[in-house]
Amino acid sequence: MSNSKGIPYYFNAATKQSSWDAPSELSDDQIKSLPGSQYLSGGSSGGAGTITASHLLVKHKDSRRPSSWKEANITRSKEEATDILRGYQAQVGNSREKFEELASIHSDCSSHSQKGNLGPFSKGQMQKPFEDAAFGLQVGEFSDIISTDSGVHIILRTA
């Protein structure tokens, strides 16, 4: 069980690798026989009510923490951040690949190193506007611009 997310994950003792997704070489019956399988309630994505999403975050001076991995002191206005994100949105179109590329380069979130991937989460783990938008999307669908205390985001629901 993940201490930070409160959801189960898979750990390969031989390779010392962990993953949110079940190993593809295991059958459903083999997965059910694993230690801790009682915590799995809905398949390999972490259980019922759990989704996976990626985002591209642009912070502004009124963000709850107006700094990031690429900028120590963010001074742009919320309107400027929204304009920047609209530019990224236009570049992305409906391309997951372009979204991941832009998130890697431009997102003010530490998830930039995972192409914006936040991993699986369930209700109550994210700020409410982000949660509502992410849970309202279909898999593969992009949100419009969403504003939270962290900044402005484009969200891609991935599972």
Side-chain angles (χ1 to χ4, degrees), residues 8 27 33 43 68 70 115 126 131:
S27 70
S33 70
S68 76
K70 62 180 196 160
K115 301 178 183 178
M126 299 291 179
E131 173 186 295

Side-chain angles (χ1 to χ4, degrees), residues 30-145:
Q30 289 173 311
I31 291 168
K32 289 177 186 168
S33 70
L34 292 171
S37 65
Q38 70 272 20
Y39 298 109
L40 301 173
S41 58
S44 65
S45 67
T50 300
I51 66 168
T52 304
S54 298
H55 75 142
L56 198 167
L57 169 66
V58 178
K59 291 184 174 185
H60 51 79
K61 65 182 179 184
D62 297 318
S63 296
R64 68 178 175 182
R65 196 175 65 81
S67 63
S68 76
W69 65 276
K70 62 180 196 160
E71 209 171 343
N73 184 30
I74 295 172
T75 59
R76 73 180 70 88
S77 69
K78 182 177 180 180
E79 292 73 25
E80 290 169 318
T82 301
D83 288 345
I84 291 167
L85 203 53
R86 287 232 182 271
Y88 298 151
Q89 191 177 38
Q91 292 178 56
V92 167
N94 285 317
S95 170
R96 180 176 178 161
E97 293 76 23
K98 188 65 173 177
F99 176 88
E100 290 175 344
E101 175 190 330
L102 293 175
S104 295
I105 299 166
H106 299 294
S107 183
D108 285 320
C109 181
S110 61
S111 68
H112 77 94
S113 60
Q114 290 85 41
K115 301 178 183 178
N117 186 352
L118 295 167
F121 57 91
S122 41
K123 290 192 175 186
Q125 290 185 280
M126 299 291 179
Q127 293 175 48
K128 188 74 168 134
F130 189 99
E131 173 186 295
D132 290 346
F135 276 87
L137 297 170
Q138 297 297 313
V139 173
E141 185 179 9
F142 292 94
S143 72
D144 197 2
I145 293 177

